[in-house]
Protein backbone atom coordinates (compact mmCIF):
# COMPACT_ATOMS: atom_id res chain seq x y z
CA UNK A 1 0.00 0.00 0.00
CA UNK A 2 1.35 3.42 -0.85
CA UNK A 3 1.83 6.32 1.54
CA UNK A 4 -0.49 9.08 0.36
CA UNK A 5 -1.44 11.09 3.44
CA UNK A 6 0.83 14.05 4.15
CA UNK A 7 2.18 14.48 7.67
CA UNK A 8 3.76 17.86 6.92
CA UNK A 9 1.19 19.95 8.78
CA UNK A 10 1.10 17.48 11.66
CA UNK A 11 4.74 17.79 12.77
CA UNK A 12 6.38 20.96 14.08
CA UNK A 13 9.58 20.38 12.06
CA UNK A 14 7.40 20.63 8.93
CA UNK A 15 8.92 17.44 7.53
CA UNK A 16 7.34 16.37 4.26
CA UNK A 17 6.73 12.67 4.94
CA UNK A 18 3.61 10.63 4.28
CA UNK A 19 1.76 7.74 5.89
CA UNK A 20 -0.47 4.91 4.63
CA UNK A 21 -3.49 5.70 6.80
CA UNK A 22 -4.37 8.78 8.78
CA UNK A 23 -7.24 8.55 11.26
CA UNK A 24 -8.71 11.20 13.55
CA UNK A 25 -9.97 9.93 16.86
CA UNK A 26 -12.61 11.89 18.81
CA UNK A 27 -13.78 9.31 21.36
CA UNK A 28 -12.20 6.64 23.54
CA UNK A 29 -14.42 4.00 21.92
CA UNK A 30 -13.16 4.95 18.46
CA UNK A 31 -9.60 4.77 19.78
CA UNK A 32 -10.17 1.18 20.89
CA UNK A 33 -11.90 0.20 17.65
CA UNK A 34 -9.01 1.49 15.56
CA UNK A 35 -5.96 0.67 17.68
CA UNK A 36 -6.69 -2.76 19.15
CA UNK A 37 -6.97 -4.67 15.82
CA UNK A 38 -3.80 -2.98 14.55
CA UNK A 39 -1.94 -3.97 17.72
CA UNK A 40 -3.27 -7.56 17.54
CA UNK A 41 -2.11 -7.87 13.91
CA UNK A 42 1.23 -6.25 14.82
CA UNK A 43 0.73 -3.54 12.21
CA UNK A 44 2.65 -0.25 12.49
CA UNK A 45 0.70 2.28 14.58
CA UNK A 46 1.66 5.77 15.67
CA UNK A 47 -0.46 7.78 18.07
CA UNK A 48 0.18 11.44 17.38
CA UNK A 49 -0.69 14.49 19.45
CA UNK A 50 0.50 17.87 18.20
CA UNK A 51 3.59 16.39 16.50
CA UNK A 52 5.87 18.79 18.39
CA UNK A 53 8.29 16.15 19.62
CA UNK A 54 8.72 13.83 16.63
CA UNK A 55 11.13 13.54 13.71
CA UNK A 56 9.86 11.59 10.70
CA UNK A 57 12.88 10.14 8.92
CA UNK A 58 10.87 8.19 6.32
CA UNK A 59 7.31 7.74 5.12
CA UNK A 60 5.39 5.83 7.79
CA UNK A 61 4.16 2.48 6.47
CA UNK A 62 1.26 2.21 8.83
CA UNK A 63 -1.57 4.07 10.53
CA UNK A 64 -1.16 7.43 12.20
CA UNK A 65 -3.89 8.08 14.76
CA UNK A 66 -4.42 11.74 15.65
CA UNK A 67 -5.69 12.15 19.23
CA UNK A 68 -8.48 14.74 19.17
CA UNK A 69 -10.54 13.74 22.21
CA UNK A 70 -11.79 16.80 24.09
CA UNK A 71 -13.15 17.60 27.53
CA UNK A 72 -12.14 19.33 30.76
CA UNK A 73 -13.91 18.73 34.07
CA UNK A 74 -13.14 20.71 37.20
CA UNK A 75 -14.01 19.78 40.77
CA UNK A 76 -13.19 22.22 43.56
CA UNK A 77 -12.30 20.77 46.95
CA UNK A 78 -11.07 22.45 50.13
CA UNK A 79 -7.41 21.64 49.44
CA UNK A 80 -7.20 21.88 45.65
CA UNK A 81 -8.86 22.04 42.25
CA UNK A 82 -9.04 18.60 40.67
CA UNK A 83 -9.14 18.52 36.86
CA UNK A 84 -9.87 15.63 34.53
CA UNK A 85 -8.64 16.45 31.03
CA UNK A 86 -8.99 14.42 27.83
CA UNK A 87 -5.77 13.57 25.98
CA UNK A 88 -6.55 15.54 22.81
CA UNK A 89 -6.88 18.90 24.55
CA UNK A 90 -4.19 21.42 23.66
CA UNK A 91 -1.78 21.96 26.57
CA UNK A 92 -1.44 25.74 26.26
CA UNK A 93 -5.20 26.19 25.88
CA UNK A 94 -5.60 24.22 29.10
CA UNK A 95 -3.18 26.61 30.84
CA UNK A 96 -5.27 29.55 29.59
CA UNK A 97 -8.53 27.82 30.58
CA UNK A 98 -7.34 27.40 34.18
CA UNK A 99 -5.96 30.92 34.46
CA UNK A 100 -9.23 32.43 33.21
CA UNK A 101 -11.09 30.57 35.99
CA UNK A 102 -8.76 31.61 38.80
CA UNK A 103 -7.17 28.15 38.98
CA UNK A 104 -3.44 28.56 39.31
CA UNK A 105 -0.36 26.33 39.11
CA UNK A 106 0.13 25.76 35.37
CA UNK A 107 1.32 29.29 34.49
CA UNK A 108 5.05 28.40 34.43
CA UNK A 109 4.31 25.82 31.73
CA UNK A 110 2.57 28.25 29.36
CA UNK A 111 3.21 27.95 25.61
CA UNK A 112 4.55 24.39 25.65
CA UNK A 113 3.21 23.05 22.33
CA UNK A 114 1.33 19.80 22.01
CA UNK A 115 -1.45 17.86 23.66
CA UNK A 116 -2.35 17.07 27.25
CA UNK A 117 -2.02 13.34 26.49
CA UNK A 118 1.63 13.71 25.54
CA UNK A 119 2.50 15.78 28.63
CA UNK A 120 3.13 12.81 30.96
CA UNK A 121 5.25 10.96 28.42
CA UNK A 122 8.38 13.06 28.76
CA UNK A 123 7.10 14.78 31.92
CA UNK A 124 7.08 18.19 30.23
CA UNK A 125 8.60 21.01 32.17
CA UNK A 126 9.62 24.64 31.96
CA UNK A 127 10.52 27.58 34.16
CA UNK A 128 10.85 25.57 37.35
CA UNK A 129 7.72 23.39 37.15
CA UNK A 130 7.28 19.91 35.70
CA UNK A 131 4.12 17.99 34.82
CA UNK A 132 4.76 15.62 37.74
CA UNK A 133 4.37 18.55 40.18
CA UNK A 134 0.70 18.91 39.20
CA UNK A 135 -0.15 15.35 38.17
CA UNK A 136 -2.73 13.40 40.17
CA UNK A 137 -3.17 10.39 37.87
CA UNK A 138 -2.79 9.26 34.24
CA UNK A 139 -5.30 7.04 32.44
CA UNK A 140 -4.26 4.93 29.45
CA UNK A 141 -5.56 2.26 27.10
CA UNK A 142 -3.35 -0.81 27.42
CA UNK A 143 -3.08 -2.07 23.86
CA UNK A 144 -1.96 -5.52 25.01
CA UNK A 145 -5.11 -6.16 27.07
CA UNK A 146 -7.66 -3.66 25.72
CA UNK A 147 -8.19 -2.45 29.31
CA UNK A 148 -8.29 1.12 30.56
CA UNK A 149 -5.81 1.59 33.42
CA UNK A 150 -5.36 4.48 35.83
CA UNK A 151 -1.92 5.06 37.37
CA UNK A 152 -1.44 7.37 40.33
CA UNK A 153 1.30 9.97 39.82
CA UNK A 154 3.66 8.08 42.15
CA UNK A 155 3.38 5.02 39.88
CA UNK A 156 4.34 6.91 36.69
CA UNK A 157 8.11 6.89 37.44
CA UNK A 158 8.44 10.56 36.57
CA UNK A 159 11.88 12.13 36.43
CA UNK A 160 13.54 14.77 34.24
CA UNK A 161 12.05 14.25 30.72
CA UNK A 162 11.22 10.63 31.63
CA UNK A 163 8.30 8.47 32.73
CA UNK A 164 7.06 4.89 32.65
CA UNK A 165 5.45 5.79 29.29
CA UNK A 166 8.95 6.07 27.77
CA UNK A 167 10.05 2.98 29.70
CA UNK A 168 8.12 -0.21 30.50
CA UNK A 169 4.90 1.04 28.85
CA UNK A 170 6.55 2.45 25.71
CA UNK A 171 4.41 1.73 22.60
CA UNK A 172 1.88 -0.25 24.69
CA UNK A 173 0.00 2.59 26.38
CA UNK A 174 -2.18 5.17 24.68
CA UNK A 175 -2.81 7.94 27.18
CA UNK A 176 -6.50 8.85 27.16
CA UNK A 177 -6.86 11.34 30.03
CA UNK A 178 -4.92 12.96 32.83
CA UNK A 179 -5.92 14.09 36.31
CA UNK A 180 -4.36 17.26 37.68
CA UNK A 181 -4.30 18.50 41.26
CA UNK A 182 -3.75 22.24 41.53
CA UNK A 183 -3.20 22.95 45.21
CA UNK A 184 -4.85 25.70 47.25
CA UNK A 185 -3.63 28.15 48.35
CA UNK A 186 -1.56 28.88 45.26
CA UNK A 187 2.21 29.21 45.76
CA UNK A 188 4.14 31.01 42.99
CA UNK A 189 7.23 29.21 41.67
CA UNK A 190 9.84 31.89 41.05
CA UNK A 191 13.12 29.96 41.20
CA UNK A 192 13.93 30.07 37.50
CA UNK A 193 16.12 32.90 36.12
CA UNK A 194 13.74 35.44 34.54
CA UNK A 195 11.09 34.89 37.24
CA UNK A 196 13.40 35.72 40.14
CA UNK A 197 12.73 39.44 39.74
CA UNK A 198 9.14 38.95 41.01
CA UNK A 199 8.21 39.19 44.70
CA UNK A 200 6.34 36.14 45.97
CA UNK A 201 3.91 38.15 48.15
CA UNK A 202 2.82 40.40 45.29
CA UNK A 203 3.11 38.48 42.04
CA UNK A 204 0.01 37.15 40.28
CA UNK A 205 -0.25 33.96 38.23
CA UNK A 206 -1.16 36.13 35.24
CA UNK A 207 2.14 38.05 35.58
CA UNK A 208 4.11 34.80 35.63
CA UNK A 209 2.16 33.53 32.61
CA UNK A 210 2.83 36.77 30.69
CA UNK A 211 6.54 36.75 31.57
CA UNK A 212 6.96 33.08 30.59
CA UNK A 213 5.18 33.72 27.28
CA UNK A 214 7.39 36.74 26.62
CA UNK A 215 10.67 34.93 27.39
CA UNK A 216 9.68 31.88 25.37
CA UNK A 217 8.63 33.97 22.40
CA UNK A 218 11.97 35.79 22.45
CA UNK A 219 14.09 32.64 22.81
CA UNK A 220 12.38 29.85 20.95
CA UNK A 221 11.60 29.84 17.23
CA UNK A 222 7.92 29.63 16.27
CA UNK A 223 7.43 26.30 14.46
CA UNK A 224 4.97 28.01 12.11
CA UNK A 225 7.89 30.13 10.87
CA UNK A 226 10.93 27.90 11.42
CA UNK A 227 10.36 24.17 11.90
CA UNK A 228 11.70 22.77 15.18
CA UNK A 229 10.86 20.48 18.10
CA UNK A 230 11.98 22.72 20.96
CA UNK A 231 15.13 21.51 22.72
CA UNK A 232 16.61 18.76 20.59
CA UNK A 233 18.80 17.40 23.41
CA UNK A 234 18.17 16.79 27.08
CA UNK A 235 20.33 18.70 29.50
CA UNK A 236 22.86 16.04 30.60
CA UNK A 237 23.16 15.04 34.26
CA UNK A 238 26.74 14.56 35.49
CA UNK A 239 28.29 13.86 38.88
CA UNK A 240 29.42 16.76 41.08
CA UNK A 241 33.05 15.66 40.59
CA UNK A 242 32.68 15.69 36.82
CA UNK A 243 31.08 19.15 36.98
CA UNK A 244 33.92 20.55 39.14
CA UNK A 245 36.49 19.18 36.70
CA UNK A 246 34.64 20.71 33.73
CA UNK A 247 34.18 24.04 35.55
CA UNK A 248 37.94 24.26 36.08
CA UNK A 249 38.70 23.57 32.46
CA UNK A 250 35.79 25.58 31.01
CA UNK A 251 35.10 28.66 33.15
CA UNK A 252 31.57 29.93 32.61
CA UNK A 253 30.07 26.49 32.00
CA UNK A 254 26.44 26.49 33.15
CA UNK A 255 25.28 23.78 35.59
CA UNK A 256 22.41 23.44 38.04
CA UNK A 257 22.86 21.42 41.26
CA UNK A 258 20.18 18.74 41.65
CA UNK A 259 18.63 17.36 44.84
CA UNK A 260 20.53 14.06 44.41
CA UNK A 261 23.91 15.91 44.25
CA UNK A 262 24.25 15.46 40.49
CA UNK A 263 24.56 18.54 38.25
CA UNK A 264 22.41 19.29 35.22
CA UNK A 265 24.55 20.90 32.52
CA UNK A 266 23.05 23.41 30.10
CA UNK A 267 23.44 21.56 26.80
CA UNK A 268 22.82 24.82 24.93
CA UNK A 269 25.97 26.28 26.51
CA UNK A 270 28.00 23.17 25.60
CA UNK A 271 26.81 23.27 21.98
CA UNK A 272 27.46 27.01 21.65
CA UNK A 273 30.95 26.67 23.16
CA UNK A 274 31.73 23.73 20.88
CA UNK A 275 31.39 26.38 18.16
CA UNK A 276 28.16 25.08 16.70
CA UNK A 277 25.65 27.90 17.20
CA UNK A 278 24.23 28.63 13.73
CA UNK A 279 26.09 25.64 12.23
CA UNK A 280 24.20 24.09 9.30
CA UNK A 281 24.30 20.87 7.35
CA UNK A 282 22.22 21.60 4.27
CA UNK A 283 18.89 23.01 5.44
CA UNK A 284 19.15 21.58 8.94
CA UNK A 285 20.74 24.02 11.37
CA UNK A 286 21.61 24.69 14.98
CA UNK A 287 19.40 27.67 15.83
CA UNK A 288 21.45 30.87 15.91
CA UNK A 289 19.66 32.23 19.00
CA UNK A 290 19.30 29.03 21.08
CA UNK A 291 21.85 26.31 20.37
CA UNK A 292 19.78 23.58 22.01
CA UNK A 293 17.20 23.88 19.24
CA UNK A 294 17.71 22.33 15.80
CA UNK A 295 15.72 23.94 13.02
CA UNK A 296 14.51 23.14 9.54
CA UNK A 297 15.45 26.17 7.44
CA UNK A 298 13.15 24.86 4.70
CA UNK A 299 13.25 21.60 2.80
CA UNK A 300 15.35 19.67 5.32
CA UNK A 301 14.49 16.00 5.76
CA UNK A 302 14.28 14.10 9.02
CA UNK A 303 17.51 12.35 8.05
CA UNK A 304 19.20 15.76 7.62
CA UNK A 305 18.07 16.70 11.14
CA UNK A 306 19.36 13.41 12.54
CA UNK A 307 22.72 13.74 10.75
CA UNK A 308 23.12 17.22 12.22
CA UNK A 309 22.18 15.89 15.67
CA UNK A 310 24.82 13.18 15.40
CA UNK A 311 27.41 15.79 14.42
CA UNK A 312 26.48 17.89 17.46
CA UNK A 313 26.70 14.87 19.77
CA UNK A 314 30.13 13.93 18.37
CA UNK A 315 31.53 17.49 18.73
CA UNK A 316 30.25 17.96 22.28
CA UNK A 317 31.67 14.56 23.21
CA UNK A 318 35.03 15.46 21.64
CA UNK A 319 35.29 18.90 23.30
CA UNK A 320 33.75 18.26 26.73
CA UNK A 321 33.61 14.46 27.08
CA UNK A 322 29.86 14.78 27.75
CA UNK A 323 27.25 12.57 26.04
CA UNK A 324 24.15 14.31 24.76
CA UNK A 325 20.89 12.43 24.26
CA UNK A 326 18.15 13.41 21.80
CA UNK A 327 14.81 14.44 23.29
CA UNK A 328 12.35 14.05 20.34
CA UNK A 329 11.11 10.66 19.19
CA UNK A 330 12.57 9.47 15.88
CA UNK A 331 10.00 7.74 13.63
CA UNK A 332 11.08 5.45 10.79
CA UNK A 333 9.00 3.57 8.20
CA UNK A 334 7.72 0.85 10.54
CA UNK A 335 8.07 2.35 13.99
CA UNK A 336 10.35 4.18 16.34
CA UNK A 337 14.06 4.27 15.50
CA UNK A 338 17.06 6.24 16.60
CA UNK A 339 19.26 8.97 15.15
CA UNK A 340 21.17 6.61 12.86
CA UNK A 341 18.31 4.65 11.37
P1 LIG B 1 3.77 14.38 19.74
O1 LIG B 1 4.95 15.05 19.15
O2 LIG B 1 2.56 14.24 18.90
O3 LIG B 1 4.20 12.95 20.27
C1 LIG B 1 5.39 12.76 21.00
C2 LIG B 1 5.49 11.29 21.38
O4 LIG B 1 4.43 10.95 22.26
C3 LIG B 1 5.35 10.36 20.17
O5 LIG B 1 6.17 9.23 20.44
C4 LIG B 1 3.88 9.96 20.21
O6 LIG B 1 3.65 8.68 19.64
C5 LIG B 1 3.59 9.95 21.69
N1 LIG B 1 2.21 10.30 22.03
C6 LIG B 1 1.57 11.48 21.77
N2 LIG B 1 0.35 11.46 22.33
C7 LIG B 1 0.19 10.25 22.92
C8 LIG B 1 -0.85 9.63 23.66
N3 LIG B 1 -2.02 10.24 23.91
N4 LIG B 1 -0.65 8.39 24.13
C9 LIG B 1 0.51 7.74 23.90
N5 LIG B 1 1.53 8.27 23.20
C10 LIG B 1 1.37 9.51 22.71
N6 LIG B 1 8.82 20.22 26.01
C11 LIG B 1 9.00 20.49 27.33
O7 LIG B 1 8.99 19.56 28.15
N7 LIG B 1 9.23 21.75 27.77
C12 LIG B 1 9.26 22.81 26.93
O8 LIG B 1 9.46 23.94 27.37
C13 LIG B 1 9.05 22.57 25.55
N8 LIG B 1 9.10 23.59 24.66
C14 LIG B 1 8.91 23.35 23.32
C15 LIG B 1 8.94 24.42 22.44
C16 LIG B 1 8.74 24.21 21.08
C17 LIG B 1 8.77 25.40 20.15
C18 LIG B 1 8.46 22.91 20.61
C19 LIG B 1 8.21 22.69 19.15
C20 LIG B 1 8.44 21.83 21.48
C21 LIG B 1 8.67 22.02 22.85
N9 LIG B 1 8.65 20.97 23.77
C22 LIG B 1 8.83 21.22 25.12
C23 LIG B 1 8.43 19.60 23.33
C24 LIG B 1 6.91 19.25 23.18
O9 LIG B 1 6.12 20.39 23.29
C25 LIG B 1 6.47 18.24 24.24
O10 LIG B 1 7.24 17.06 24.17
C26 LIG B 1 4.99 17.87 24.10
O11 LIG B 1 4.55 17.16 25.23
C27 LIG B 1 4.73 17.05 22.84
O12 LIG B 1 3.33 16.96 22.68
P2 LIG B 1 2.70 16.49 21.30
O13 LIG B 1 1.23 16.30 21.54
O14 LIG B 1 3.08 17.41 20.23
O15 LIG B 1 3.40 15.08 21.12
N1 LIG C 1 22.65 28.78 26.79
C1 LIG C 1 23.78 29.17 26.12
N2 LIG C 1 23.74 29.16 24.75
C2 LIG C 1 22.65 28.78 24.06
C3 LIG C 1 21.48 28.36 24.76
C4 LIG C 1 21.52 28.36 26.15
O1 LIG C 1 24.80 29.52 26.70
O2 LIG C 1 22.69 28.82 22.83
C5 LIG C 1 22.66 28.83 28.26
C6 LIG C 1 21.76 29.99 28.74
O3 LIG C 1 22.44 31.20 28.74
C7 LIG C 1 21.38 29.53 30.12
C8 LIG C 1 21.36 28.01 30.00
O4 LIG C 1 22.07 27.67 28.82
O5 LIG C 1 22.37 29.90 31.05
C9 LIG C 1 19.96 27.41 29.95
O6 LIG C 1 19.25 27.96 28.85
P1 LIG C 1 17.65 28.17 28.89
O7 LIG C 1 17.26 28.84 30.16
O8 LIG C 1 17.24 28.77 27.60
O9 LIG C 1 17.08 26.71 29.03
P2 LIG C 1 17.47 25.38 28.28
O10 LIG C 1 18.28 24.53 29.18
O11 LIG C 1 18.01 25.66 26.93
C10 LIG C 1 15.36 24.13 29.21
C11 LIG C 1 14.39 23.11 28.67
C12 LIG C 1 13.32 23.82 27.87
C13 LIG C 1 12.57 24.76 28.80
C14 LIG C 1 13.57 25.78 29.38
C15 LIG C 1 12.92 26.65 30.42
C16 LIG C 1 15.50 20.98 28.35
C17 LIG C 1 16.13 20.04 27.39
N3 LIG C 1 15.08 22.14 27.84
O12 LIG C 1 15.99 24.73 28.09
O13 LIG C 1 12.41 22.84 27.38
O14 LIG C 1 11.56 25.45 28.11
O15 LIG C 1 14.67 25.07 30.02
O16 LIG C 1 12.65 25.91 31.56
O17 LIG C 1 15.39 20.68 29.53
C18 LIG C 1 12.06 21.37 25.50
O18 LIG C 1 12.20 20.42 26.29
O19 LIG C 1 11.77 21.21 24.30
C19 LIG C 1 12.23 22.74 26.00
C20 LIG C 1 12.16 23.81 25.20
Amino acid sequence: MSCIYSLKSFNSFGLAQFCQNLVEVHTKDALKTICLPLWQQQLPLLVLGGGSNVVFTEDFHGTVVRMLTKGIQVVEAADAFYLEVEAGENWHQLVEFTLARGIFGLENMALIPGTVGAAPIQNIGAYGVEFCDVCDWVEYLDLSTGESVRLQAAECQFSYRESIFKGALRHRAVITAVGLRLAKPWQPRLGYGPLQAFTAERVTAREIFDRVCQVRTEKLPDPAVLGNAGSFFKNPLVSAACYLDLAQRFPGIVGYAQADASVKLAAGWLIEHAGLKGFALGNAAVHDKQALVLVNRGGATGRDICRLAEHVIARVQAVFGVALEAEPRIMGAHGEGDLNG
Side-chain angles (χ1 to χ4, degrees):
M1 223 165 111
S2 53
C3 294
I4 52 170
Y5 298 97
S6 174
L7 294 168
K8 190 169 177 187
S9 54
F10 302 131
N11 74 95
S12 62
F13 262 119
L15 300 168
Q17 300 294 164
F18 291 78
C19 65
Q20 277 179 356
N21 292 310
L22 183 63
V23 186
E24 292 186 348
V25 157
H26 297 271
T27 65
K28 289 179 191 171
D29 282 346
L31 182 76
K32 271 191 172 184
T33 309
I34 289 156
C35 293
L36 294 181
L38 292 170
W39 171 271
Q40 280 151 12
Q41 293 167 68
Q42 299 183 345
L43 293 169
L45 164 67
L46 169 65
V47 175
L48 198 61
S52 62
N53 216 28
V54 288
V55 180
F56 291 108
T57 54
E58 295 172 275
D59 287 344
F60 186 68
H61 291 245
T63 302
V64 171
V65 171
R66 296 188 62 222
M67 280 298 279
L68 296 172
T69 52
K70 302 284 182 210
I72 305 174
Q73 286 177 43
V74 181
V75 174
E76 182 172 2
D79 61 329
F81 289 97
Y82 291 87
L83 276 70
E84 179 165 347
V85 190
E86 298 301 310
E89 288 284 350
N90 175 274
W91 176 264
H92 178 69
Q93 284 170 11
L94 171 68
V95 177
E96 287 184 316
F97 172 97
T98 54
L99 209 53
R101 283 160 183 76
I103 304 171
F104 306 137
L106 298 183
E107 55 284 343
N108 297 55
M109 291 189 282
L111 274 194
I112 299 181
T115 53
V116 167
I121 296 174
Q122 70 156 8
N123 183 26
I124 59 168
Y127 298 92
V129 178
E130 289 183 319
F131 177 79
C132 61
D133 299 326
V134 294
C135 179
D136 190 14
W137 49 263
V138 177
E139 178 194 89
Y140 66 92
L141 169 66
D142 187 329
L143 294 171
S144 67
T145 62
E147 298 296 323
S148 182
V149 183
R150 190 174 276 201
L151 290 185
Q152 295 305 306
E155 299 173 289
C156 292
Q157 300 173 12
F158 288 124
S159 61
Y160 169 63
R161 295 297 188 269
E162 286 295 336
S163 75
I164 194 169
F165 305 103
K166 283 176 82 177
L169 293 177
R170 198 181 184 101
H171 305 309
R172 208 178 90 197
V174 181
I175 295 173
T176 47
V178 307
L180 303 179
R181 178 183 183 279
L182 298 173
K184 295 198 292 190
W186 172 67
Q187 305 276 358
R189 304 284 287 269
L190 303 173
Y192 195 91
L195 302 179
Q196 285 170 3
F198 287 121
T199 309
E201 293 71 38
R202 283 199 301 276
V203 72
T204 65
R206 172 65 63 181
E207 285 170 331
I208 296 176
F209 173 90
D210 288 342
R211 185 82 180 102
V212 166
C213 289
Q214 183 202 354
V215 173
R216 292 185 66 100
T217 310
E218 283 165 10
K219 271 194 191 174
L220 293 165
D222 176 359
V225 179
L226 196 57
N228 73 92
S231 302
F232 200 91
F233 304 97
K234 295 193 217 172
N235 284 326
L237 292 160
V238 298
S239 68
C242 172
Y243 171 72
L244 288 175
D245 173 53
L246 285 166
Q248 264 192 347
R249 291 191 289 133
F250 303 101
I253 191 169
V254 179
Y256 308 96
Q258 304 296 294
D260 65 358
S262 67
V263 177
K264 191 190 275 181
L265 298 176
W269 190 96
L270 298 176
I271 298 167
E272 178 174 347
H273 290 82
L276 291 172
K277 206 168 187 172
F279 176 83
L281 279 180
N283 292 318
V286 177
H287 188 43
D288 50 15
K289 296 200 186 75
Q290 222 300 5
L292 197 46
V293 177
L294 302 189
V295 297
N296 175 3
R297 286 185 175 165
T301 63
R303 290 250 45 92
D304 294 336
I305 303 283
C306 291
R307 263 192 293 275
L308 175 63
E310 288 195 297
H311 180 79
V312 170
I313 290 172
R315 283 294 302 152
V316 168
Q317 181 72 49
V319 176
F320 300 103
V322 173
L324 292 184
E325 198 185 320
E327 183 189 283
R329 311 286 289 267
I330 315 298
M331 292 306 303
H334 303 284
E336 190 163 5
D338 54 29
L339 289 175
N340 44 43

